[in-house]
Amino acid sequence: MDPHESDGSDGTQEGHSSGGAAAAVTVGELLAALDATHPGARLHGDASASAVPLRSVTHDSRRVGPGTLFCCVVGEHADGHDFAAEAVAAGAVALLVQRDPDPDGPLRSVPQIVVDDVRAAMATAAVEVYRHPAERLRTVGVTGTNGKTTVVSAVAHVLSAAGRRVEAIGTLTGARTTPEAPDLQARLADLVSAGFTDVAMEVSSHALSLHRVDGVVFDVAVFTNLGQDHLDFHGTPEAYFAAKAQLFEAGRSRRGIVDVDDVHGRLLMDSAPPGHPMVAVSVADAEPVTSTVTGSSFRWRGRSVSCPLPGRHNVANALLAAEACAALGVEEDSIVAALEDLPVVPGRFERVDAGQDFGVVVDYAHTPDALEAVLVAARELGPGRVLVVFGCGGDRDAAKRPRMGAVASEHADVVVLTTDNPRSEDPLRILEAVRSGCSGDPLVEPDRRAAIAVALGSARPGDVVVIAGKGHEQGQEVAGVVTPFDDRLVAAELLASTAGPS
């Protein structure tokens, strides 16, 4: 059983890996490392327990194999201590615990490392067992509310074009924006074994709060922006920002690249640790900036750049990626050439073209700031109207729902409210919360396919239809059941089934 908290992503578990460790770490060696970072760590077991070799780490009893250290994480909905026996039966040779899971039973014969906080110590354990793989890679960590996926994808593309062997880790590659510490460290170790040189990674606020990236000192940390999101987890905007700001502490990164067009970016610049190199990025420095349906153009370090990603928000993303790659030693001319050949990021301002005489864009925007940026970018694409179809997910930050309605009403000419991923919530109650923030009289169609059809059927030549919220996602979760649904495919099917706009 996996007792960890969710960070709002959908999908399946990342596959477990052995991490390719050359030689096993012993329980005794791990205890010594833990004691240095988690004072008071102690071992329950006889003298021979220290010699037990550890080859993998997990907190999910379903993924235990021979030589595994099982971490009994206390989560929001489950307690890993309750699954210790199951893990041992599956081959776990040691336990990381914060209480004795079996005071009088057979688990007493299994080495138990006792710590105050298993979740925090689990990251250290994974780093040790997988032999500090991040130290043998160049690493870029990207945090912020919006733009992380685009920046990571751009960094990976530029580095690859420069001849590096690079892996991107983020929303498009796994169940979580940032994998849990054991999965992350195992993956990094596998990359080292396979000869990779660089990693570009999305670092979520959950990852920083829940110790997923503890033990990784990023060569470059990037901040995109801060909007309203995840307040169901963090509680306040201040706590949300504080979580992301951790990435720019001296022990977390070696240098920072920050978008100072965002007020929180300026705060990061002002509060940077003494001697911590920081680079400020602003779209104002890239003028003249132009954006069309096929991309954008701007200037960077005195060079003209034509990028196939439309919108000023994507200019900001490209600038951040360029500075990150420059910090890793990529030549400026190489960076410019790669930016001009950036691939479309799935579900990020992704066009759907079936030959219609109006634009259709699918975007992952699911926060007020992201929706505003996408609608503003859509407005720049032509003289026609902007139509938007969107909803809000259930079991997530409810406070942003009216704000998203207000943003849609302000920046779109036609607003169609629909269902996103309601999860366990009543879809109609979510829709009513979004509608309460709208001015005017938005159209409300709970069936997402029908809502998309309404917007497409209402479009005139020169208009732009924005389908927002789900982006790259290929399923819709309602009452615990995920059914196939891809905004891009649905839009393409609807466009193909009609002769043109009505």
Side-chain angles (χ1 to χ4, degrees):
M1 179 67 181
D2 180 359
H4 61 261
E5 295 85 347
S6 169
D7 65 357
S9 303
D10 297 305
T12 57
Q13 294 276 359
E14 291 93 345
H16 182 64
S17 166
S18 66
V25 172
T26 67
V27 167
E29 291 170 336
L30 177 57
L31 178 63
L34 284 169
D35 188 52
T37 54
H38 301 271
R42 59 194 186 279
L43 178 64
H44 282 175
D46 59 32
S48 64
S50 293
V52 172
L54 303 170
R55 299 190 179 276
S56 64
V57 181
T58 188
H59 63 306
D60 188 341
S61 60
R62 298 166 296 186
R63 299 160 63 200
V64 169
T68 297
L69 171 71
F70 178 66
C71 303
C72 299
V73 174
V74 178
E76 182 179 359
H77 303 295
D79 185 342
H81 295 81
D82 297 336
F83 302 91
E86 178 183 331
V88 170
V93 295
L95 303 173
L96 185 65
V97 303
Q98 57 196 60
R99 64 173 174 81
D100 193 334
D102 187 29
D104 303 311
L107 291 184
R108 296 295 293 165
S109 63
V110 179
Q112 298 178 23
I113 299 176
V114 185
V115 293
D116 292 334
D117 184 346
V118 170
R119 174 170 284 285
M122 178 170 66
T124 301
V127 169
E128 293 298 323
V129 170
Y130 295 117
R131 299 292 193 181
H132 300 260
E135 295 180 1
R136 300 189 292 282
L137 295 161
R138 288 180 290 253
T139 50
V140 177
V142 182
T143 196
T145 303
N146 307 306
K148 296 188 297 296
T149 303
T150 300
V151 174
V152 162
S153 297
V155 168
H157 175 75
V158 173
L159 292 177
S160 179
R164 310 275 183 89
R165 289 200 66 190
V166 57
E167 176 87 342
I169 297 175
T171 306
L172 301 179
T173 63
R176 286 173 177 76
T177 302
T178 312
E180 288 283 4
D183 302 307
L184 175 61
Q185 296 299 327
R187 189 167 177 181
L188 295 178
D190 283 342
L191 293 174
V192 170
S193 296
F196 281 73
T197 58
D198 297 72
V199 169
M201 184 193 314
E202 295 182 51
V203 182
S204 68
S205 58
H206 287 73
L208 290 158
S209 297
L210 297 174
H211 307 282
R212 294 178 189 169
V213 292
D214 285 9
V216 178
V217 181
F218 290 93
D219 293 297
V220 182
V222 178
F223 177 82
T224 59
N225 50 64
L226 194 84
Q228 181 173 337
D229 204 11
H230 300 308
L231 297 191
D232 53 317
F233 178 79
H234 294 286
T236 66
E238 292 77 14
Y240 178 42
F241 176 56
K244 290 188 176 295
Q246 292 179 60
L247 190 60
F248 297 85
E249 296 172 356
R252 295 274 193 179
S253 60
R254 296 184 173 91
R255 67 185 63 219
I257 312 292
V258 175
D259 185 342
V260 294
D261 292 334
D262 183 278
V263 63
H264 296 91
R266 294 195 294 273
L267 287 173
L268 281 176
M269 291 292 296
D270 293 341
S271 61
H276 195 65
M278 300 282 281
V279 175
V281 169
S282 173
V283 174
D285 296 331
E287 298 288 358
V289 173
T290 61
S291 179
T292 69
V293 70
T294 58
S296 56
S297 62
F298 56 92
R299 293 188 65 78
W300 175 69
R301 295 193 177 187
R303 293 165 167 79
S304 297
V305 183
S306 295
C307 173
L309 304 183
R312 289 181 71 89
H313 65 296
N314 276 323
V315 172
N317 292 332
L319 292 170
L320 291 167
E323 291 295 343
C325 293
L328 291 182
V330 181
E331 294 182 355
E332 293 177 4
D333 289 343
S334 177
I335 292 171
V336 169
L339 290 178
E340 295 185 343
D341 189 35
L342 282 178
V344 173
V345 182
R348 272 63 177 177
F349 217 79
E350 184 174 357
R351 295 172 58 205
V352 179
D353 188 353
Q356 75 278 2
D357 53 8
F358 56 90
V360 178
V361 173
V362 172
D363 195 273
Y364 190 52
H366 58 278
T367 69
D369 304 87
L371 185 61
E372 179 178 3
V374 169
L375 294 177
V376 168
R379 182 73 67 188
E380 297 173 346
L381 299 185
R385 302 172 304 162
V386 173
L387 300 83
V388 63
V389 183
F390 79 101
C392 287
D395 301 334
R396 300 294 186 267
D397 181 12
K400 69 183 180 183
R401 295 169 187 172
R403 282 198 60 203
M404 292 191 68
V407 165
S409 295
E410 179 181 356
H411 294 284
D413 302 291
V414 177
V415 177
V416 183
L417 304 183
T418 191
T419 302
D420 194 316
N421 290 309
R423 301 181 178 90
S424 69
E425 288 195 61
D426 179 352
L428 297 181
R429 293 191 65 176
I430 297 174
L431 283 169
E432 178 56 30
V434 180
R435 193 201 63 77
S436 71
C438 295
S439 58
D441 190 19
L443 301 173
V444 179
E445 172 49 72
D447 183 283
R448 192 171 181 93
R449 185 183 184 93
I452 294 172
V454 167
L456 297 179
S458 302
R460 305 167 186 163
D463 288 350
V464 178
V465 177
V466 175
I467 306 169
K470 292 177 60 59
H472 65 285
E473 293 178 359
Q474 298 177 14
Q476 186 170 30
E477 183 179 347
V478 182
V481 177
V482 179
T483 56
F485 198 98
D486 187 321
D487 284 348
R488 300 163 296 179
L489 295 179
V490 169
E493 291 167 1
L494 291 170
L495 289 168
S497 67
T498 60
S502 58

